Amino acid sequence: MTAWEDPLWEVFVRARRGLSHVHVGSVHAPDAELALRHARDVFTRRQEGVSLWVVPASAVTASRPEDRDAFFGPAADKTYRLPTFYDVPEGVEHL
Amino acid sequence: MGAEEASEDARELERLLAEDGRVEPTDRVPAAYRRALVRQMAQHAHSEIIGMQPEGAWIESAPSLRRKAILMAKVQDEAGHGLYLYAATETLGVEREELLAKLHAGEQKYSSIFNYPTLTWADVGAIGWLVDGAAIVNQVPLCRCSYGPYARAMVRICKEESFHQRQGFEILHTLARGTPAQRAMAQDAVDRFWWPSLMMFGPPDADSTHSARSMAWGIKRFSNDELRQRFIDMTVPQAEVLGLTLPDPELRWNSERGHYDHGPVDFAELARVVAGDGPCNAERLAHKVRAHEEGAWVREAAAAYAARHGHQGAA
Amino acid sequence: MTTTLVPGSARALLALGDDALLASQRLGWWISRAPVLEEDVALANIGLDLLGQARGLLARAGELEGRGRDEDALAFWRDAPDFRHVCLVERDQRDFGTTMVRLLLLATWQRELYARLAASSEPGLAAVAGKAVKEVAYHVDHARAWVLRLGDGTEESHLRVQRALDAEWPWVSELFDGSWLDPEVVAAGVLPWPDELRPTVLGEVAAVLARATLRLPDGLADGLAPEPGGRLRGRHGEHTDELPGLLARMQQVARAHPGATW
């Protein structure tokens, strides 16, 4: 028996129109057509979705945990980007 | 890996657990944490897959079409749950094929409960009520376990499994109110599955080899004995509603402890079954291996087709 | 629901319900035995769809018949000669190639049939068919995906699926046989003549098989299924010797407890 090495596909489901596709898990399949069908059977048995994406897991490029501070730290001290940073005088509405 | 690097990994894991209690796939973790996770997740996944067999055997013989549909959907869920768990182990870089090979070679375990035979239709009810009931008690705390992909898989599994226990209870409830023969069948099933269900929580805390470390790592949240007691406390009143007897003469409410006292679990039997000497160990594994081998030509065909037509599978 | 008083309608619904029931029963065997885990889930989905169709059709057949038989009375308390499904669906299918070829044949036929039955004059039948037509469209898609891969996969898979096709082919003609059908049922718009479905169904099947590089069985290229000839005719209650075993397994628990509820 030869080894079986179907590629891994990451699965994304749109729960309903108006929402984004969200990552739910993965399936193995030799090609995209079967991957999509497997994803349908495995992840939407309880009406969880109205649309599906399958993406080869190998196509995902991820940031590294050790880069976390360099990537995401610098945003921490720039709270002036948030509306709660500002004082609004009492009685002012629609601002 | 040098000792220094290993201790650095251990510090990193401690920091992660202290900071937000969650570990994600690309985080730097000690090899032992990773090994313990793979071992636990693989055993869990294998249990779902082997667990399809005892009930699956009754799909073709379910006594009503409604029951047939429910059972088919339930056994299907078990395949789905195995799949979610294998997918979670893949995030640690362990291929499903590798885990299946270890299962087939007998190098990795699955839950001992599935090595007991299903002799009558009532066993389907007893498995749903007791075995799935015990599994839920085991699994709910894992929804908050430290490894993100495992925790997320468990959330999904627990949500889907909520119907599994109910359908089992409903089967037994109907049988217990049916003909004398149906009632006897229900009692017999409960008699056979009660003790093995208690064994599902593993050996007593004093003998549990990996427990303390797993608790510190957040991949186990309560001890075996705590979970076993929780299951018993939850199940005894349900048995009363069913009007069925649990086969333990020592079972009685202890108001001081606020728990039910129970007789001793035969852990020697658990050890025997885990070691491979249960009633159906050989049969379960042979069924799985045969299915995998007989499907090889199909997997090879699909791979050859994809190689020829492109992995995008445009057809 | 108003009862259509066309004689023979109950028998027609029974036949279609039995097709779905027996096909589902055979698929149930596969759960825990599929080539990949994802396919266990897929085959269970298909089996559940067919079982749902069977329950709807048998329940309505029982109502039309008016003898107080519900879906379970019909499934568990009839003997082999009283079953009216085509022999195609009752035979063992422990080979994945056989399973996919048979599913392609059955689902392609069901899709064409249900699409028409959605407008049946029998409201119960129209309701089941209207819902089921989407389900069987997915079954066709699934079977097609696998027949392509098996036919155009490895040398071994090609040989195996060709052999499966050649073995299933003689059983196809019964899908288009109308000799069992009360002409009044057709005249009243309950069911079309089965023969009317032949060109479309065989055309679609032939297209998939050609794409899968499989050798078309005799007559298929001309839109002809083999003549029934001396074949057993399931629609008339004449079955293969594989049916009693299947029924014994399916009915054993129910029959051991007459009058019990489950």
Side-chain angles (χ1 to χ4, degrees), chain C residues 88-105:
Chain C
L88 176 75
V89 296
E90 78 190 27
R91 292 163 311 114
D92 217 4
Q93 50 169 14
R94 296 177 181 218
D95 172 81
F96 189 73
T98 302
T99 303
M100 286 302 125
V101 165
R102 192 182 298 175
L103 183 64
L104 179 70
L105 297 167

Side-chain angles (χ1 to χ4, degrees), chain A residues 4 6 26-31 33-34 36-38 40-42 45, chain C residues 36 38-39 41-43 45 49 135 138 141-142 144-146 148-149:
Chain A
W4 154 61
D6 282 352
S26 59
V27 292
H28 275 285
D31 59 49
E33 194 188 29
L34 280 187
L36 199 57
R37 277 149 188 77
H38 288 332
R40 178 261 191 192
D41 286 317
V42 173
R45 299 199 299 286
Chain C
V36 290
E38 284 86 348
E39 194 61 22
V41 181
L43 292 173
N45 267 345
D49 286 342
E135 297 169 349
Y138 191 79
D141 179 82
H142 190 82
R144 173 187 156 281
W146 273 115
L148 287 184
R149 280 158 183 77

Side-chain angles (χ1 to χ4, degrees), chain C residues 101-181:
Chain C
V101 165
R102 192 182 298 175
L103 183 64
L104 179 70
L105 297 167
L106 177 72
T108 306
W109 170 76
Q110 280 180 324
R111 183 176 62 178
E112 197 56 28
L113 178 66
Y114 288 159
R116 294 178 187 223
L117 293 181
S120 167
S121 62
E122 204 304 285
L125 180 55
V128 173
K131 178 171 171 293
V133 71
K134 284 175 275 186
E135 297 169 349
V136 295
Y138 191 79
H139 305 175
V140 172
D141 179 82
H142 190 82
R144 173 187 156 281
W146 273 115
V147 169
L148 287 184
R149 280 158 183 77
L150 299 178
D152 196 13
T154 61
E155 203 174 314
E156 183 194 0
S157 72
H158 180 86
L159 285 173
R160 285 180 73 142
V161 77
Q162 181 72 56
R163 201 161 61 218
L165 172 62
D166 293 343
E168 293 306 291
W169 182 243
W171 302 96
V172 168
S173 62
E174 205 182 352
L175 295 170
F176 310 115
D177 172 27
S179 66
W180 58 284
L181 203 53

Side-chain angles (χ1 to χ4, degrees), chain B residues 160-182:
Chain B
E160 296 190 353
E161 272 192 358
S162 50
F163 99 80
H164 292 190
Q165 196 190 10
R166 282 193 187 186
Q167 64 87 37
F169 186 86
E170 193 192 76
I171 287 175
L172 292 178
H173 196 255
T174 309
L175 292 176
R177 271 147 199 74
T179 65
Q182 283 179 302

Side-chain angles (χ1 to χ4, degrees), chain C residues 193-259:
Chain C
W193 276 118
D195 196 51
E196 288 172 20
L197 307 175
R198 183 192 299 261
T200 322
V201 173
L202 293 183
E204 287 176 17
V205 167
V208 175
L209 297 181
R211 189 106 194 251
T213 72
L214 292 166
R215 191 184 63 249
L216 300 191
D218 291 343
L220 181 52
D222 311 315
L224 293 173
E227 287 306 313
R231 282 269 163 204
L232 293 167
R233 298 171 305 163
R235 292 280 191 242
H236 294 272
E238 298 163 16
H239 294 283
T240 69
D241 57 9
E242 295 186 53
L243 183 61
L246 179 152
L247 292 181
R249 197 166 167 76
M250 183 168 91
Q251 299 172 333
Q252 61 179 358
V253 180
R255 288 195 173 200
H257 303 268

Side-chain angles (χ1 to χ4, degrees), chain A residues 40-54:
Chain A
R40 178 261 191 192
D41 286 317
V42 173
F43 289 104
T44 65
R45 299 199 299 286
R46 288 174 170 80
Q47 302 178 292
E48 291 94 336
V50 296
S51 167
L52 271 174
W53 291 346
V54 291

Side-chain angles (χ1 to χ4, degrees), chain B residues 110-119 192-193 196 199 269-270 272-285:
Chain B
Y110 53 88
S111 177
S112 57
I113 192 78
F114 302 117
N115 290 320
Y116 292 86
T118 44
L119 303 177
R192 281 182 289 108
F193 275 94
M199 293 173 203
E269 175 177 327
L270 173 63
R272 275 198 309 278
V273 178
V274 169
D277 198 18
C280 301
N281 294 55
E283 181 188 331
R284 298 288 184 242
L285 210 52

